[in-house]
Amino acid sequence: MEAPAPHSPAEPGSVQIVVTSPEQMRELGRRLAKLLRAGDLVMLSGELGAGKTTLTRGLGEGLGVRGAVTSPTFVIARVHPSLGDGPPLVHVDAYRLSGGLDEMEDLDLDVSLPDSVVVVEWGEGKVEELTEDRLQVVIHRAVGDTTDEVRQMTLTGVGERWATADLSVLAA
């Protein structure tokens, strides 16, 4: 992983990271898991194939949860219980959900959130009301007919929970 390019400064509470392979994306997830705790909401956004599920797979490995972390597109949500004393991982894919928080409430995320790490792919405009504190991860990749594996990522902590978190350790 590379440090942010000098021409693209991150806003306060943010860090920019360049990832050049799926293996690096997974490793970033493992490292990010060390910063997470029960009650954390992580929102992932990016184009199809950007690496949202790959990052979540690394989070699952870092959190030490049971089960293979795969895209929950067709089941909407999967719960991966902890194999140790850490929090479970709730992995949600909101891509097929058209409504806002009302539709998300059917998943009982508000019940899961205090005891789990909840990761929501495609959650913009749908889950922000769950909590004032969240980590927003935006993944940009080249689109079109390309085999380019480079991803430009911006991680932004929102709310009091993330005000003192040092996200720069992820860019090291």
Side-chain angles (χ1 to χ4, degrees):
M1 282 170 275
E2 301 171 13
H7 65 278
S8 55
E11 62 186 73
S14 291
V15 64
Q16 292 184 346
I17 300 171
V18 176
V19 175
T20 60
S21 70
E23 294 77 22
Q24 283 188 354
M25 183 70 78
R26 214 162 155 170
E27 174 58 26
L28 177 61
R30 286 190 290 267
R31 292 184 14 218
L32 176 57
K34 294 175 184 172
L35 298 178
L36 298 176
R37 61 184 185 219
D40 283 342
L41 172 64
V42 180
M43 291 176 45
L44 304 179
S45 58
E47 298 88 1
L48 287 171
K52 297 178 295 293
T53 300
T54 302
L55 179 69
T56 307
R57 190 170 293 121
L59 283 172
E61 292 168 5
L63 290 170
V65 299
R66 185 177 69 214
V69 175
T70 59
S71 178
T73 300
F74 297 104
V75 295
I76 310 299
R78 284 196 172 95
V79 177
H80 298 275
S82 175
L83 292 171
D85 57 0
L89 172 66
V90 178
H91 184 197
V92 179
D93 187 330
Y95 183 75
R96 294 180 36 219
L97 301 178
S98 58
L101 188 59
D102 291 341
E103 193 170 8
M104 296 297 287
E105 283 180 350
D106 292 340
L107 299 176
D108 287 332
L109 293 181
D110 55 335
V111 173
S112 300
L113 185 59
D115 301 318
S116 307
V117 170
V118 177
V119 175
V120 182
E121 297 184 28
W122 305 97
E124 306 79 26
K126 299 174 184 171
V127 298
E128 290 90 341
E129 295 176 33
L130 283 174
T131 178
E132 293 179 8
D133 301 308
R134 63 188 169 277
L135 181 63
Q136 294 178 202
V137 179
V138 179
I139 307 169
H140 294 285
R141 70 170 182 89
V143 293
D145 188 17
T146 180
T147 58
D148 190 352
E149 295 288 343
V150 175
R151 305 296 192 258
Q152 306 282 337
M153 301 180 60
T154 303
L155 290 80
T156 305
V158 176
E160 188 177 322
R161 154 68 175 105
W162 294 100
T164 59
D166 185 8
L167 296 176
S168 68
V169 300
L170 299 171

